[in-house]
């Protein structure tokens, strides 16, 4: 894999890739989303994002998980993509332990109604800790049942909406600074609307998919836009891996104040 921007370099090893993706050195929370898209804008192929994947994308995907304090994902994506079992490969777990980090990042699932089965493989086969972030409208009985297999935290705000700012504050309050999200599109749309995205990593798979596949973000009003700056561009086998970061002059996601949705 070669780096095209900001400074060209051939054949990057994992250490150089991790340095390229490293967040700022401040103690503020850093919210990163990671997605894949075909070059004509499709976020899925055959209904799944993984079917768009390339070797380069899978490599970076695991490296971004490696350095995360928490993997944040929406319940719909959990049901569609499957997050059961081991989420980190053995080299990544060894890398974390060698640096005094927990063996695995926390898995945090956002679910407004807790429509999850406590007996599912998500909970029975996942060796790491799971946190469920839910709304003030969640059913207390569901919360109690899921509380037996995961930590459940409900927002104090009434209604089914979950404020991304509350999510960031809750995770950062647990000492989780590097927030790595893998979606889905609704969660990215919510964070985008809240201006709570510090980094967006997009792999452009060299495929034309066509059809009516969804985009990587949805639910965001068309009159809302957020300026981002290109931080990194990599290339391998005609696929491009780009990272865009919050434009210069904008504060980090954890510091921007908005009202609860």
């Amino acid at each position: 894999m070669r780096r095209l921007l900001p400074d060209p370099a051939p054949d990057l090893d994992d250490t150089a890739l991790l340095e390229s993706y490293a967040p700022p050195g401040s103690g503020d929370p850093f919210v990163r989303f990671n997605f894949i898209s075909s070059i004509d804008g499709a976020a899925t192929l055959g209904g799944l994002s993984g079917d768009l994947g390339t070797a380069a994308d899978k490599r970076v995907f695991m490296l971004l998980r490696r350095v995360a304090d928490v993997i944040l994902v929406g319940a719909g994506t959990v049901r569609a993509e499957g997050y059961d079992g081991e989420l980190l490969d053995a080299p990544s777990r060894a890398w974390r332990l060698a640096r005094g980090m927990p063996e695995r990042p926390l898995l945090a699932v956002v679910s407004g109604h807790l429509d999850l089965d406590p007996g599912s493989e998500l909970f029975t086969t996942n060796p790491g800790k799971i946190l469920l972030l839910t709304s003030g409208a969640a059913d207390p009985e569901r919360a109690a049942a899921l509380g037996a297999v995961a930590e459940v935290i409900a927002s104090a705000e009434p209604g089914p909406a979950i404020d991304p700012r509350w999510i960031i504050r809750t995770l950062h309050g647990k000492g989780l600074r590097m927030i790595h999200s893998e979606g889905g599109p609704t969660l990215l749309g919510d964070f985008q609307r809240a201006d709570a995205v510090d980094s967006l990593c997009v792999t452009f798979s060299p495929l034309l998919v066509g059809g009516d596949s969804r985009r990587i973000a949805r639910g965001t009003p068309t009159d809302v836009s957020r300026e981002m700056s290109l931080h990194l561009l990599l290339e391998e086998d005609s696929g491009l891996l780009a990272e865009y970061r919050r434009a210069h002059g904008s504060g980090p996601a954890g510091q921007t104040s908005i009202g609860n949705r």
Side-chain angles (χ1 to χ4, degrees):
M1 191 182 308
R2 60 179 178 142
R3 185 171 57 217
L4 304 179
L5 295 171
D7 52 321
D11 300 328
L12 273 67
D13 61 15
D14 287 352
T15 298
L17 283 171
L18 289 172
E19 290 174 351
S20 296
Y21 282 102
S26 71
D28 296 318
F30 188 77
V31 180
R32 168 180 283 151
F33 277 79
N34 183 43
F35 280 86
I36 190 168
S37 170
S38 68
I39 55 174
D40 59 348
T44 61
L45 178 61
L48 297 174
S49 63
D51 289 344
L52 289 170
T54 65
D57 174 68
K58 292 173 183 177
R59 179 184 174 192
V60 168
F61 178 83
M62 188 57 64
L63 288 175
L64 294 182
R65 279 186 172 184
R66 176 183 294 190
V67 296
D69 293 319
V70 55
I71 297 172
L72 179 69
V73 65
T77 297
V78 166
R79 289 188 289 267
E81 302 282 351
Y83 274 74
D84 51 283
E86 184 62 71
L87 301 182
L88 216 60
D89 61 18
S92 294
R93 299 197 305 274
W95 185 94
R96 290 171 64 90
L97 289 172
R99 287 157 179 78
M101 300 172 68
E103 185 174 4
R104 300 169 180 87
L106 179 74
L107 175 62
V109 180
V110 181
S111 177
H113 298 286
L114 293 179
D115 187 17
L116 295 163
D117 179 3
S120 69
E121 291 186 347
L122 170 68
F123 302 106
T124 62
T125 68
N126 197 311
K129 295 180 179 179
I130 299 177
L131 171 66
L132 300 180
L133 299 170
T134 191
S135 70
D139 183 346
E141 291 187 6
R142 278 191 168 276
L146 288 163
V149 293
E151 181 181 0
V152 180
I153 301 179
S155 170
E157 296 297 322
I162 303 177
D163 184 2
R165 298 290 168 189
W166 173 78
I167 293 174
I168 296 171
R169 289 194 301 270
T170 300
L171 295 176
H172 196 225
K174 288 180 165 292
L176 306 171
R177 184 218 170 198
M178 182 64 246
I179 302 171
H180 168 77
S181 182
E182 297 168 1
T186 300
L187 190 64
L188 175 56
D190 287 345
F191 270 71
Q192 182 179 332
R193 181 165 50 250
D195 194 17
V197 178
D198 293 309
S199 163
L200 177 60
C201 297
V202 184
T203 295
F204 294 99
S205 182
L207 295 173
L208 292 172
V209 172
D212 57 357
S213 296
R214 62 186 182 179
R215 297 173 51 194
I216 65 171
R218 67 169 175 244
T220 302
T222 56
D223 60 347
V224 173
S225 63
R226 309 295 182 192
E227 184 179 355
M228 305 289 281
S229 297
L230 183 61
H231 174 77
L232 177 66
L233 186 63
L234 308 169
E235 187 274 337
E236 183 176 287
D237 295 334
S238 296
L240 294 175
L241 296 91
E243 182 188 16
Y244 287 85
R245 293 197 180 180
R246 180 177 292 275
H248 182 71
S250 299
Q255 292 185 346
T256 305
S257 176
I258 66 168
N260 289 334
R261 298 194 300 120

